[in-house]
Amino acid sequence: MTRQFDVDPGLKGSGDFEAVPGADPAPGKGRKVRYRVDVEKGLDLDAALFARAVQETLNDDRSWAHGGAMTFERISSGDPDFVITLASPGTTGVWCAKSGLDTTVDNVSCDSAATQRIMINAYRWARGADTYGPDRMLAYRQMLINHEVGHRLGHNHENCRKPGGLAPVMQQQTKTLEIGGISCRPNPWVYPSA
C-alpha cells in the first residue's frame, strides 16, 4: 500500500468489471452501509489489496465510521448501496461523464452519482499526486477513498480555511493544497484527530 505502480495515464481498459470475490463483515454497530468492490478486467493491479484498503479505510475511526455513526460491509453479490470501482483512466472518464463530470483534464476520480458507481481512477491509485508525493502513497489512497465515498454520502467539496492546517478530506487534494492563497497540509481523514 505504500508503493507506486506503473499505469499509463492514457490507458483505456475493457470497460468490463468483475466483483472482487468474498465479503468483509461490518465491524461496527452504526448504520450499516453495504458496498461492492469491482475492478475493471485486465488491470494489472491487485484487486484483493484494493478491496482490503477500502474496507480498512472506511471502517477506521478517523473515517466516516467515526464514533459508530456508520459501519461498512463489503459484499460481492446482492444489492449494495454503492459500488466502488477501480478502473482505467479511459473507463473512469466514460462513467464519470454519465454524471456530467469531466475527469479527463486532471485524470481524477469521481462519484458518478447518476449511477451506482464511485470511480477510482487506476492511474491515481497507482501513481498518486504531486500534492502527496511518492512517499505518502498510503495516505493518498486513504484520502481518495474517503473523498469519493464522502460525495456518495452527500458531502460537497470544501476548501482550506486555516493557513498551514490540515486540508479537509473533501478538498480536491489531488489537484492542489492551496486555495485562494491559503496553503494546507495533506490529510486523508474526515476526523484526523480521532
Side-chain angles (χ1 to χ4, degrees), residues 80-91:
D81 294 303
F82 56 82
V83 180
I84 298 182
T85 308
L86 182 64
S88 66
T91 301

Side-chain angles (χ1 to χ4, degrees), residues 12-25:
K12 174 105 169 73
S14 65
D16 296 323
F17 305 116
E18 190 167 46
V20 177
D24 290 307

Side-chain angles (χ1 to χ4, degrees), residues 37-178:
V37 173
D38 284 2
V39 175
E40 187 173 14
K41 292 179 182 177
L43 275 184
D44 190 22
L45 293 169
D46 188 329
L49 183 66
F50 176 68
R52 192 177 94 214
V54 171
Q55 179 72 359
E56 289 177 4
T57 298
L58 292 177
N59 284 297
D60 191 293
D61 193 50
R62 297 167 291 177
S63 184
W64 300 109
H66 178 71
M70 291 176 229
T71 185
F72 294 86
E73 178 175 72
R74 182 176 71 87
I75 60 174
S76 55
S77 61
D79 189 24
D81 294 303
F82 56 82
V83 180
I84 298 182
T85 308
L86 182 64
S88 66
T91 301
T92 296
V94 168
W95 277 86
C96 293
K98 292 178 187 218
S99 297
L101 302 168
D102 182 0
T103 58
T104 61
V105 176
D106 294 305
N107 225 349
V108 292
S109 304
C110 83
D111 171 28
S112 184
T115 76
Q116 218 180 8
R117 295 191 186 278
I118 293 170
M119 301 302 296
I120 302 296
N121 186 319
Y123 172 73
R124 290 296 179 189
W125 181 259
R127 302 301 301 168
D130 290 344
T131 51
Y132 276 68
D135 298 331
R136 296 197 49 166
M137 286 303 301
L138 174 58
Y140 178 78
R141 289 172 176 142
Q142 291 164 328
M143 182 278 297
L144 201 54
I145 293 163
N146 281 324
H147 180 94
E148 298 306 342
V149 170
H151 282 308
R152 184 56 57 134
L153 296 174
H155 300 277
N156 295 320
H157 285 144
E158 296 178 24
N159 293 333
C160 280
R161 293 200 176 93
K162 181 181 172 194
L166 292 174
V169 78
M170 294 311 297
Q171 180 166 319
Q172 293 178 295
Q173 295 181 54
T174 294
K175 295 180 178 181
T176 185
L177 289 170
E178 185 176 327

